[in-house]
Amino acid sequence: MTKQMYPCLWFDGQARAAADFYCTIFPNSKVINDSGMVVNFELNGEFFMGLNGGDNIKFNEAVSFVIPCKDQEEIDHYWYKLTADGAEEQCGWCKDKFGLSWQVVPTILGELMSNPEKGQRVVQAFMKMKKFDIEALKNA
């Protein structure tokens, strides 16, 4: 293969609006081209394709994009931007206004969960959260 694999996201006529929205959230992002049917864009340097495919296929939680965040500031940035306009939220997962699912996760989560003394308490703590709170997880 000469190119990396990349996702094709099926939108109901909103591929350009979605690409523009995502490009305002992620650094190093841009719309590459827009043919009307297909919009190619990069989010943080990663290639995506948006397809204006119609209303017969909808996003669901079976696929989500994970955003690893180094600190609470990053979590807050992505969470509040992606959940603007009435998105669904639960346990670090959120759904944006286009119906696409995201996981906004602290990079320290794996370390906290693998601690034999605290791991179970960390899981119990984040199961009650909508947006991850790193300090609360550290103190679990």
Side-chain angles (χ1 to χ4, degrees):
M1 289 175 44
T2 58
K3 293 189 179 235
Q4 296 277 350
M5 288 187 285
Y6 57 88
C8 174
L9 305 173
W10 183 294
F11 294 95
D12 180 15
Q14 298 176 306
R16 180 56 189 252
D20 289 340
F21 174 67
Y22 300 138
C23 286
T24 67
I25 296 171
F26 293 89
N28 190 28
S29 298
K30 64 185 176 188
V31 173
I32 299 168
N33 70 342
D34 180 354
S35 71
M37 182 70 159
V38 172
V39 179
N40 295 315
F41 57 103
E42 289 182 2
L43 300 180
N44 202 20
E46 297 292 327
F47 188 84
F48 287 76
M49 182 172 79
L51 173 68
N52 286 313
D55 66 355
N56 56 331
I57 296 178
K58 305 285 186 212
F59 294 121
N60 66 47
E61 296 79 10
V63 174
S64 62
F65 291 95
V66 179
I67 307 169
C69 299
K70 69 180 184 296
D71 57 31
Q72 193 66 47
E73 183 178 351
E74 273 193 351
I75 288 174
D76 293 348
H77 166 79
Y78 290 113
W79 190 265
Y80 293 124
K81 296 285 186 176
L82 289 168
T83 61
D85 300 321
E88 298 176 24
E89 314 163 357
Q90 169 121 15
C91 194
W93 290 58
C94 62
K95 194 178 283 190
D96 66 33
K97 63 185 177 181
F98 299 100
L100 193 58
S101 294
W102 301 86
Q103 295 182 54
V104 184
V105 181
T107 55
I108 194 170
L109 185 62
E111 177 185 330
L112 294 172
M113 288 175 50
S114 66
N115 181 321
E117 294 176 23
K118 293 178 61 165
Q120 198 55 254
R121 290 193 313 266
V122 169
V123 172
Q124 289 172 357
F126 80 65
M127 293 299 287
K128 297 174 188 168
M129 297 177 181
K130 288 187 177 193
K131 173 179 65 82
F132 279 115
D133 178 333
I134 294 175
E135 275 310 303
L137 293 174
K138 286 180 178 178
N139 294 326

